[in-house]
Amino acid sequence: MVAVTEPIDPVVRLAISQWPDDAPRGAVSTFCAEHGISRKSVYALRKRARTDGPAAVLEPRTRRPKSSPSAVSDEVKGHAVAVRAALEASGLDHGPISVHDKMHAMGLEQVPSPASLARIFREAGVARLEPKKKPRSAWRRFVYPAPNACWQLDATEYVLSGGRKCVIFQLIDDHSRYAVASHVAFGETAKDAIAVVDKAIATHGVPQRLLSDNGLALNPSRRGYVGQLVGHVGALGVEAITGKPYKPTTQGKNERFHQTLFRYLDKQPLAGSLAELQAQVDAFDHVYNTQRPHQGLPGRVTPLTAWEATPKADPPRPKPDRPVVAERVPGRYQFPRAQPPTDLPANTCVRTVSAVGNIGLDSVSYKVGGQHGFRQVLVVSDGDKVIITDLDGEVLAERTRPAPGVKYVGNGRPRGLRPKTMKASPKS
């Protein structure tokens, strides 16, 4: 904390103005110690008394600078308040940072800093001090390294004229915050979720991941079954992931995106049909992507700039369809078997992974992984090594032949139930 210097008492000033020139040595130090002032102040006041007269010492002089080149003029303050009002009327963000960026984009000669703009708005009565809205420095922000590495999908309710409810699907890119697609529907259904994803894929390519909540129409995997959207994007090789239940912060970027959309729609005429609302949402996406600097992006650039600044992530490889259960026979299941490839080398054979993720070779069971159940794989014998690949040649596992008498080779993990851990689920 910086100490505030108190003004020197007028009685002390009078004594300094009448200070004798023949005062004994050490008198100034003793005088300063008795009255709690510095020697520098005493000598400065004595110099002023000699140049301007004793009366000039009795009153303190103002510390205000003779000029303030950085002072904000009333004209600039008026411009700032007008820009804020225009942004607010358009339904866009109108905080000090947004106004600062907008004034720069308008090419104004003098643009106050965001802190100065906040003070100007409080003085003008159009904003108030809100200490609780100060950003926390403890947050660790996570972002994917490239566009199309992950998309976030979420739906939010809206009301048309007459009180009719509808749903707005919003799909954004995690890396750049770019709005890749939006879709308006009467309900949150899997059909409409697939429609918005297909719209984005047709324009921007296939993403590597798709993040959503655990809604029935989006990703009900945590409920024990595969949804239509998950199956649809899974056929393209897209990994569908979800956040933890009741933890909407995982989809925080999309939740904040809803807030920005609602602020914009509140300033527009209330739509009477899905087509009208879709037109308003499309107009918002254009402004959001190309004109609105995003405060969550480095350098506060627009999402379009961030989208184009980094090469897009490679599209995923579509996964082959797994065989399905053909029929149930009492006591066991039967699965359709595909015709094995022909012209295989002598040390290569085809095996079908069991339901628990094992394959058999020379009376030994080798662990591959439960996620590969019912798939046909290639097993290559290379000396003491057993290499297991899919039909495209991608290595799934490598195992070492066991000693004689050993009938099972695992993956190095203990068999049976795994102990509970505090690690996050890979689907989170």
Side-chain angles (χ1 to χ4, degrees):
M1 181 179 295
V2 180
V4 179
T5 305
E6 297 292 338
I8 301 176
D9 188 85
V11 177
V12 178
R13 291 178 174 272
L14 179 62
I16 296 174
S17 66
Q18 299 175 354
W19 194 270
D21 294 334
D22 56 350
R25 182 180 180 85
V28 173
S29 298
T30 303
F31 181 83
C32 292
E34 291 177 352
H35 296 90
I37 61 176
S38 65
R39 292 166 53 87
K40 181 179 179 181
S41 299
V42 172
Y43 287 117
L45 292 177
R46 288 185 60 190
K47 180 180 179 181
R48 189 185 305 171
R50 289 194 296 268
T51 57
D52 300 339
V57 182
L58 301 180
E59 293 292 338
R61 289 182 175 179
T62 178
R63 297 184 179 182
R64 182 176 180 179
K66 295 181 180 180
S67 63
S68 300
S70 59
V72 181
S73 63
D74 293 339
E75 182 181 2
V76 174
K77 292 181 180 179
H79 284 320
V81 174
V83 171
R84 183 187 186 279
L87 290 175
E88 183 178 8
S90 300
L92 302 177
D93 293 335
H94 47 274
I97 296 179
S98 300
V99 175
H100 178 270
D101 294 340
K102 186 63 175 179
M103 295 180 70
H104 262 300
M106 294 171 61
L108 298 179
E109 295 182 359
Q110 186 179 6
V111 179
S113 66
S116 297
L117 289 171
R119 184 173 59 254
I120 292 171
F121 297 154
R122 290 196 298 270
E123 293 175 353
V126 296
R128 62 180 183 275
L129 184 63
E130 297 186 26
K132 293 184 179 180
K133 294 184 65 175
K134 180 181 179 180
R136 288 184 56 179
S137 59
W139 292 121
R140 295 181 60 186
R141 182 168 296 173
F142 178 82
V143 59
Y144 277 83
N148 280 0
C150 180
W151 287 355
Q152 287 195 18
L153 174 63
D154 198 11
T156 182
E157 284 191 353
Y158 194 69
V159 179
L160 300 173
S161 61
R164 291 175 296 172
K165 291 185 178 181
C166 64
V167 172
I168 303 175
F169 288 89
Q170 291 187 289
L171 185 61
I172 65 172
D173 177 67
D174 183 275
H175 171 80
S176 62
R177 310 292 184 92
Y178 186 83
V180 292
S182 296
H183 180 66
V184 179
F186 277 120
E188 186 175 341
T189 64
K191 177 182 178 182
D192 292 300
I194 293 174
V196 67
V197 172
D198 286 347
K199 183 191 298 184
I201 290 176
T203 307
H204 304 292
V206 182
Q208 294 181 347
R209 287 187 173 186
L210 179 65
L211 171 64
S212 66
D213 59 23
N214 299 274
L216 292 175
L218 301 182
N219 193 339
S221 300
R222 294 181 185 269
R223 304 171 188 258
Y225 58 92
V226 178
Q228 296 181 30
L229 175 62
V230 176
H232 180 74
V233 299
L236 301 176
V238 180
E239 181 182 4
I241 58 177
T242 69
K244 293 182 179 180
Y246 309 108
K247 294 291 185 181
T249 51
T250 306
Q251 298 87 29
K253 296 172 184 176
N254 220 326
E255 298 291 344
R256 180 61 179 85
F257 190 34
H258 297 335
Q259 179 181 341
T260 307
L261 172 64
F262 287 150
R263 184 181 293 117
Y264 175 85
L265 293 179
D266 287 345
K267 300 297 181 179
Q268 312 303 319
L270 190 60
S273 64
L274 293 183
E276 294 180 13
L277 181 58
Q278 184 68 62
Q280 293 178 351
V281 173
D282 291 342
F284 164 79
D285 286 347
H286 176 73
V287 174
Y288 176 88
N289 286 333
T290 62
Q291 301 178 16
R292 175 184 177 272
H294 203 297
Q295 298 178 23
L297 296 174
R300 297 205 297 268
V301 298
T302 61
L304 178 60
T305 302
W307 171 271
E308 296 176 344
T310 306
K312 296 181 179 62
D314 295 332
R317 177 189 296 180
K319 298 180 181 179
D321 295 334
R322 295 186 180 183
V324 297
V325 178
E327 59 177 339
R328 177 158 187 180
V329 180
R332 64 188 182 91
Y333 285 98
Q334 288 185 344
F335 303 97
R337 296 179 179 272
Q339 293 297 326
T342 58
D343 300 332
L344 293 176
N347 63 340
T348 305
C349 60
V350 178
R351 292 290 186 271
T352 301
V353 183
S354 68
V356 294
N358 299 335
I359 59 104
L361 180 67
D362 299 333
S363 301
V364 178
S365 180
Y366 293 89
K367 185 69 173 181
V368 181
Q371 69 272 25
H372 305 296
F374 314 131
R375 294 176 58 184
Q376 286 192 329
V377 295
L378 300 178
V379 182
V380 181
S381 301
D382 185 10
D384 291 338
K385 292 287 186 181
V386 175
I387 304 173
I388 305 167
T389 72
D390 60 15
L391 298 182
D392 296 325
E394 182 178 354
V395 177
L396 303 179
E398 293 186 14
R399 303 288 182 257
T400 302
R401 287 185 179 272
V406 178
K407 299 298 183 181
Y408 176 80
V409 177
N411 53 8
R413 301 176 183 175
R415 303 181 71 175
L417 297 176
R418 299 182 184 178
K420 293 184 178 180
T421 63
M422 299 303 294
K423 293 183 179 180
S425 168
K427 291 294 184 179
S428 298

